[in-house]
Amino acid sequence: MSMFGDGLDAAVQKAFTRPAPKSAGAQMRYLVKQLKGTKAVAQMLRISQRTVERYVKNQIKKPRPDLAARLETEVKKRWQPQIRAKAREKAASTDGIVIDTRARMGYTAPIGSTDQDRIRHLTVALPPQYAARLFEAQEQGVSDQRLQEIAAEALKETYFQDGGTRAGSLEEVRFTDIEHLEFDL
């Protein structure tokens, strides 16, 4: 899917207080309870209603790899919504978010500066307003490219300009060739 969207989801999932169901039967029962019926689960997972019923009764225990992945994704998407909301709210209002990345970064600056792109490994605590922007953009369903632009803007402000104390003439930060990306709340 998306590197930034999945990274934000993984950071929020670290706040879970209980582990999500692991077995296919438990995951299926959870989804049936959440969606209030086997028909809705069957349509969402693109399988038959009878297959859902078999998983619920533990008559089938081992799903195909593609179904197992869809099942896990859908369960994690719905697991502990209040905990997820509190973690996002806390990051967006007080704590901020930490980005750990290894990527090619460069910037546009006046002539005479060393703006050559190079691979950098950064671990930077981003202020709450950028966490809020990232989560808000993710909820709106923006593209991964837009999330990347917001992260680049946050790195420009926080890392390169150090909150406005240096590199005031910096115009744009390029954030490409991402090798590693991880968020933490």
Side-chain angles (χ1 to χ4, degrees):
M1 264 182 94
S2 69
M3 181 180 281
F4 282 82
D6 292 346
L8 290 169
D9 285 340
V12 171
Q13 288 171 7
K14 290 177 187 174
F16 287 167
T17 56
R18 292 180 296 140
K22 297 279 186 239
S23 72
Q27 289 175 333
M28 205 63 82
R29 285 188 290 278
Y30 175 76
L31 288 176
V32 167
K33 185 177 178 183
Q34 290 295 306
L35 298 177
K36 298 175 178 37
T38 56
K39 187 175 184 179
V41 174
Q43 289 173 343
M44 178 186 64
L45 295 174
R46 299 183 309 271
I47 56 176
S48 72
Q49 187 173 352
R50 180 68 185 128
T51 303
V52 171
E53 292 165 359
R54 286 182 174 145
Y55 277 109
V56 168
K57 293 179 183 177
N58 276 335
Q59 293 173 342
I60 305 175
K61 295 184 190 275
K62 185 88 170 109
R64 302 181 315 269
D66 61 322
L67 176 59
R70 287 196 311 266
L71 192 57
E72 184 174 349
T73 300
E74 294 300 328
V75 167
K76 283 191 174 179
K77 197 185 295 183
R78 291 167 176 74
W79 189 249
Q80 293 190 327
Q82 286 103 356
I83 301 290
R84 183 186 308 268
K86 283 180 186 176
R88 285 175 174 229
E89 179 59 35
K90 189 175 178 187
S93 61
T94 57
D95 290 354
I97 193 167
V98 175
I99 182 172
D100 179 44
T101 186
R102 180 169 164 78
R104 181 169 300 283
M105 288 184 223
Y107 47 87
T108 306
I111 296 173
S113 64
T114 58
D115 61 350
Q116 186 67 34
D117 289 4
R118 67 175 189 251
I119 297 287
R120 300 173 194 248
H121 183 202
L122 301 177
T123 302
V124 179
L126 303 179
Q129 68 263 23
Y130 287 107
R133 285 183 59 198
L134 284 165
F135 286 131
E136 187 178 304
Q138 183 189 27
E139 285 175 19
Q140 292 173 355
V142 300
S143 69
D144 210 40
Q145 178 63 35
R146 180 64 188 130
L147 290 172
Q148 185 174 344
E149 290 168 7
I150 294 170
E153 192 177 318
L155 288 171
K156 171 189 167 191
E157 167 74 24
T158 309
Y159 177 76
F160 289 103
Q161 292 184 324
D162 197 16
T165 60
R166 63 179 187 190
S169 59
L170 199 63
E171 297 168 15
E172 173 192 29
V173 170
R174 290 182 300 277
F175 184 28
T176 58
D177 300 339
I178 300 167
E179 296 175 7
H180 167 78
L181 177 74
E182 188 177 339
F183 291 99
D184 200 8
L185 301 179

